[in-house]
Amino acid sequence: MDRTHLLNKLWQYQHQYGFISDEAVSEISNKLNVSNIEIESVISFYHFFHKKPTGKHTIYLNNNIISELKGFSTVKTTIEKETGCTFNEQGNEEFSLFETSCIGLNDQEPAALINFQPFTDLTPNKVKLIIQKIRNGENVKDFASKTKSKIRYTPEEDKTVIFRPYEMGKSILKGLKYTPQEIIDKISKSKLLGLGGAFFPVGYKWQSCKNNEDDAKYIICNADEGEPGTFKDRAIFQHLPGLVIEGMILAGYATGAKEGIIYLRAEYQFFKEELENLIQQFHTANLLGKNIKDINGFDFDIRIQLGAGSYVCGAASALIESMEGRRGEPPVRMWSATKHGFKHKPTIVNNVETLAFASRIIELGEDYFLNLGTEESPGTKLISISGDVAKPGIYEIEFGTTIRELLSIEMSQATAPYFVQVSGPSGECVNNTEFDRRICKEDILCGGSFMVFNRNRDILQILRNFMEFFKEESCGVCTPCRAGNYILTEKIKKIQRGLCAQEDIDEMKQWGKIIKLTSRCGLGKSSANTVTTAVDKFKDYFNVKIAPANFDKTVEFDMEDAIHEFDSIIKDTQL
Ligand code: SF4
C-alpha cells in the first residue's frame, strides 16, 4: 500500500472514531511507510480531519456571504443554545460545531452538514426540531434534507445541451464508432473549454495526454467545486451523473488511459454511495471494466477519492498533491499534468461539467454544439444563481447571454440588483452600468457562481466575507498571499470602523497588485480582484466611507481589536 491511500486511511479513522489519534497516526505510518510528522502535517492541512475527539454529531454550518444574508447568525445562535456548545471550540460528547466556507448549497441557505448529511433552509425552529430528533436517537440520514437543486431554465429543446433526456451508454456507443483520434478531433473542433473556471481548450489537453506515451495514464474528474456560490457540479451529479461517467470513459478511450478517479469534495459525500452504485451499473452493462463492449483491450475503471476540505485543492496541481497523500499545496509547476501528472504519469484533469459536455458533444455531434453560443465560446454553460433573486437555482444558458437577461423576470427574477458577483469571490464584481455585458470568452467569463446583491446590502460586509474566506483558505506557502489577504481584511475592517483614508485605498490597490503578481496559484492571483475593483466600480458607496483628509489619525489603529484578533488566531491554531 502506498502513500496515495493516505487520505482514505485518515477518513477511515475520522469516520470511525471522530478523530485521528496519535496511535492511529503511528499505525498509518507503519502501514504506508510515511513518517508520523508528515502524516500530522497532512491532517493539519484539511478542515475535516481532527486530532482531538469530536462529539457523536459534527455540525458544519456554512458561513459564506449568502448564508450570512439569509439568517446565518440566528441559526448559529440557536444551534449553540440547543446543543450547549460553542462554534469552533471543543464540543461535548454529543456535538461538535464548526463553521465552514461553502458546502455547495447556496440556493438553499442557511445550510449545514450534520455528520455530512445536508440540512437546508434552516430556521431557528427547524434547528430545534433537528436537535430534538438527534437527542431522541434518530439517525440524521433518515431525516436529512432533499437537496436536488431546481433546474430553473433551459433554452428550447433544440438549444439544450445538458438538460435533455439521458440514455445510459448512448454517447459511449456513438463514440466507439470513431477512432480515438477522431474523438479528440471532434472535441477540438467543438472548441469545448474547461468549464471549472480555467477555460483551457479541452481538445488540446486530451491530445497532449494521448501523445505522451506511457504504461499508465489517468483521467481525473475534478469534483471539488469549492468556489462560494457554485453548486452546478452537485446538480449534475444529482440529476445526470451518467453523463460525467461517460465523459470519463470517452476520455479514457481517446487517450489510452485505463483508470479514472473522481476526486469528490468531502462536502458531497452524502451522494457518494449513489455514485458508487451507478458505477456498478456501468460495470453490469459492460460499459466499465475489461474489454468494454467486447472491444479487446479497451479497459477502463473508475473509483472515487474523497477530498477532505480544502478550497485550494480545486486547482489541478494541488488536487494531484492531495491525491498523492500530501498537503494540497500547489507545487511550483515544472510540467503540464498531461505529461507528468498523478504518480508522474500523463493525466487529464477535467471538471465535472466539462466531462458532461464532452459526453453530450459526442452524442449530439460537434456541429450541434458549434451552432450555439458565440464564436469563441460555443455551446451552453451552467450557472448557479443565488442571493437576492426570487428563483435561485441552476440555469443552462447559451454563451453570450447578458447579465441583464440572467437577472430578468424570465429568469432569476432579481430584486433591485446592485452588486453582482460573477464567478464567485475570485471572479469579478459588476455594477448596474455593466448589466449588458455578455457571459462569454469575448466579454466576461463565469465559472459557475453568480451571486446577486440588492441595494440594501452592505458592500463592505460582502467584501469582508470574501477576504475572510481567502485568508482562511490560503495554504500559506507564499508570503504575499498569506500576509496580503490578512492585510486586505484588516483594511476592510478599518473602513467599517470609519477610520479609512484615501491612502488606505491606494495601499489596498498596491497590495492587490503584489498578491496577484507574486502568488503561486489561482487563489493568490485572484483573491484581491473584487476588493480592488469594487472601490472604483462603487465609488459613490466608498466616497462616503472614506474619512476626510483631516480626520484624527491617532485613533486609526485599534490595539484592543488587534489583540483580540491575534488571540483568536492562536486559539484557532490550537484547536
Ligand atoms: Fe498557497 Fe496562496 Fe501561494 Fe496559492 S497563492 S500556493 S493558496 S499561499
Side-chain angles (χ1 to χ4, degrees):
M1 208 180 268
D2 64 23
R3 190 172 179 155
T4 58
H5 293 85
L6 180 55
L7 251 56
N8 287 344
K9 276 272 155 222
L10 293 173
W11 267 121
Q12 209 179 310
Y13 285 95
Q14 181 62 49
H15 278 143
Q16 195 171 349
Y17 303 104
F19 76 115
I20 301 155
S21 64
D22 291 342
E23 293 73 29
V25 171
S26 296
E27 270 177 47
I28 297 171
S29 162
N30 288 336
K31 272 189 194 136
L32 302 186
N33 199 21
V34 180
S35 73
N36 286 34
I37 194 75
E38 277 188 82
I39 296 174
E40 296 279 359
S41 85
V42 170
I43 293 170
S44 69
F45 181 80
Y46 298 95
H47 298 315
F48 297 129
F49 290 149
H50 299 283
K51 274 312 306 283
K52 288 185 180 170
T54 54
K56 271 191 246 155
H57 293 88
T58 51
I59 303 183
Y60 287 93
L61 178 64
N62 179 18
N63 65 7
N64 86 3
I65 186 64
I66 301 298
S67 174
E68 210 173 290
L69 300 177
K70 302 265 172 185
F72 164 81
S73 60
T74 48
V75 167
K76 178 180 170 181
T77 312
T78 313
I79 295 176
E80 288 185 330
K81 197 166 158 227
E82 294 299 311
T83 58
C85 302
T86 306
F87 269 87
N88 304 323
E89 288 188 7
Q90 189 77 41
N92 56 30
E93 262 195 25
E94 193 61 51
F95 296 100
S96 294
L97 314 179
F98 305 96
E99 288 183 35
T100 190
S101 58
C102 189
I103 54 178
L105 292 162
N106 245 30
D107 53 341
Q108 305 163 56
E109 295 294 348
L113 295 170
I114 305 181
N115 285 0
F116 290 99
Q117 291 297 316
F119 287 85
T120 60
D121 297 307
L122 294 172
T123 60
N125 280 342
K126 209 166 168 181
V127 167
K128 283 180 198 165
L129 211 66
I130 292 166
I131 303 299
Q132 194 55 54
K133 284 186 175 189
I134 291 175
R135 289 201 191 280
N136 290 345
E138 290 188 45
N139 186 338
V140 287
K141 208 172 171 182
D142 297 338
F143 61 97
S145 303
K146 306 281 172 257
T147 53
K148 282 198 173 180
S149 289
K150 290 215 168 62
I151 308 304
R152 293 292 194 177
Y153 176 89
T154 52
E156 305 90 78
E157 206 182 316
D158 63 344
K159 289 188 168 185
T160 306
V161 179
I162 291 293
F163 293 116
R164 51 193 304 124
Y166 167 75
E167 211 179 296
M168 187 174 172
K170 197 171 175 184
S171 62
I172 295 175
L173 293 180
K174 182 119 187 251
L176 293 181
K177 290 182 185 152
Y178 305 112
T179 64
Q181 186 56 51
E182 280 170 339
I183 294 277
I184 293 178
D185 292 343
K186 280 176 170 296
I187 296 292
S188 299
K189 202 178 153 204
S190 75
K191 298 189 193 167
L192 176 67
L193 302 170
L195 299 169
F199 297 97
F200 189 82
V202 178
Y204 184 89
K205 206 183 248 189
W206 287 23
Q207 186 70 63
S208 168
C209 184
K210 182 178 190 300
N211 293 348
N212 284 306
E213 291 299 328
D214 212 314
D215 57 340
K217 295 181 184 181
Y218 298 95
I219 308 296
I220 296 177
C221 167
N222 182 348
D224 196 38
E225 70 170 345
E227 189 71 37
T230 182
F231 44 93
K232 62 176 176 73
D233 291 349
R234 172 178 59 78
I236 296 175
F237 269 135
Q238 291 194 292
H239 289 271
L240 293 158
L243 276 185
V244 186
I245 292 176
E246 295 195 33
M248 293 177 78
I249 296 169
L250 286 166
Y253 173 69
T255 59
K258 297 202 181 305
E259 191 176 344
I261 303 153
I262 299 174
Y263 186 92
L264 185 68
R265 70 186 304 227
E267 291 86 341
Y268 291 170
Q269 58 187 289
F270 60 90
F271 57 74
K272 180 173 174 262
E273 203 178 311
E274 253 175 76
L275 208 48
E276 281 166 341
N277 289 341
L278 183 66
I279 291 171
Q280 205 42 54
Q281 285 173 36
F282 269 78
H283 272 278
T284 310
N286 187 218
L287 292 165
L288 273 177
K290 293 227 170 283
N291 301 326
I292 291 172
K293 286 291 155 202
D294 299 326
I295 297 177
N296 206 11
F298 176 26
D299 305 339
F300 192 76
D301 211 341
I302 294 178
R303 67 175 171 90
I304 299 174
Q305 169 66 63
L306 207 56
S310 161
Y311 168 76
V312 80
C313 283
S317 58
L319 184 146
I320 290 172
E321 289 290 302
S322 174
M323 286 182 46
E324 289 176 348
R326 284 189 285 275
R327 290 164 68 86
E329 288 164 357
V332 177
R333 289 186 70 176
M334 307 286 283
W335 309 98
S336 143
T338 55
K339 193 166 189 185
H340 294 293
F342 181 54
K343 295 184 180 176
H344 297 285
K345 300 290 180 187
T347 302
I348 286 177
V349 182
N350 273 152
N351 151 272
V352 172
E353 188 184 358
T354 313
L355 290 160
F357 268 96
S359 166
R360 283 296 200 205
I361 288 167
I362 298 305
E363 178 191 336
L364 302 167
E366 64 278 19
D367 289 336
Y368 177 94
F369 192 74
L370 283 165
N371 282 334
L372 301 169
T374 66
E375 180 63 29
E376 287 185 48
S377 339
T380 60
K381 173 87 187 83
L382 303 194
I383 308 281
S384 326
I385 304 188
S386 63
D388 293 316
V389 294
K391 294 169 90 179
I394 301 294
Y395 290 73
E396 180 175 358
I397 60 158
E398 243 187 295
F399 271 116
T401 301
T402 64
I403 291 171
R404 195 179 299 287
E405 286 172 295
L406 283 172
L407 300 169
S408 71
I409 193 84
E410 289 77 26
M411 294 180 80
S412 68
Q413 298 180 4
T415 46
Y418 179 60
F419 183 107
V420 177
Q421 187 67 22
V422 180
S423 254
S426 67
E428 190 178 337
C429 61
V430 297
N431 63 26
N432 54 14
T433 66
E434 302 175 280
F435 287 173
D436 287 320
R437 292 185 69 181
R438 297 181 310 146
I439 306 288
C440 57
K441 201 173 175 191
E442 296 90 325
D443 194 348
I444 181 171
L445 279 166
C446 177
S449 167
F450 188 92
M451 295 191 275
V452 183
F453 303 98
N454 70 26
R455 286 205 163 269
N456 300 323
R457 303 303 187 188
D458 181 0
I459 293 178
L460 283 171
Q461 187 187 354
I462 300 167
L463 298 181
R464 181 166 166 177
N465 185 288
F466 289 176
M467 289 317 301
E468 295 278 8
F469 167 73
F470 287 124
K471 203 175 74 174
E472 179 68 26
E473 294 296 335
S474 165
C475 79
V477 164
C478 324
T479 306
C481 172
R482 189 177 67 239
N485 287 320
Y486 179 85
I487 288 167
L488 286 178
T489 314
E490 290 306 302
K491 291 283 187 197
I492 292 168
K493 288 184 192 170
K494 196 173 169 186
I495 307 176
Q496 285 181 315
R497 291 200 296 264
L499 298 170
C500 177
Q502 184 55 45
E503 63 201 43
D504 290 296
I505 301 287
D506 297 340
E507 266 180 40
M508 282 167 77
K509 289 185 181 172
Q510 280 165 8
W511 265 108
K513 272 188 203 151
I514 293 168
I515 303 171
K516 188 172 185 156
L517 282 173
T518 54
S519 290
R520 189 186 289 180
C521 84
L523 187 151
K525 291 195 184 305
S526 59
S527 62
N529 281 354
T530 302
V531 171
T532 52
T533 52
V535 291
D536 289 328
K537 290 190 178 187
F538 296 87
K539 264 204 165 72
D540 291 351
Y541 173 90
F542 279 95
N543 281 345
V544 294
K545 301 282 177 188
I546 298 169
N550 59 350
F551 84 108
D552 182 4
K553 287 185 184 169
T554 57
V555 292
E556 76 181 64
F557 184 72
D558 188 331
M559 180 59 89
E560 215 174 294
D561 247 28
I563 290 171
H564 181 74
E565 174 83 8
F566 187 69
D567 276 352
S568 49
I569 291 171
I570 296 292
K571 222 187 230 171
D572 280 356
T573 321
Q574 288 166 343
L575 263 180

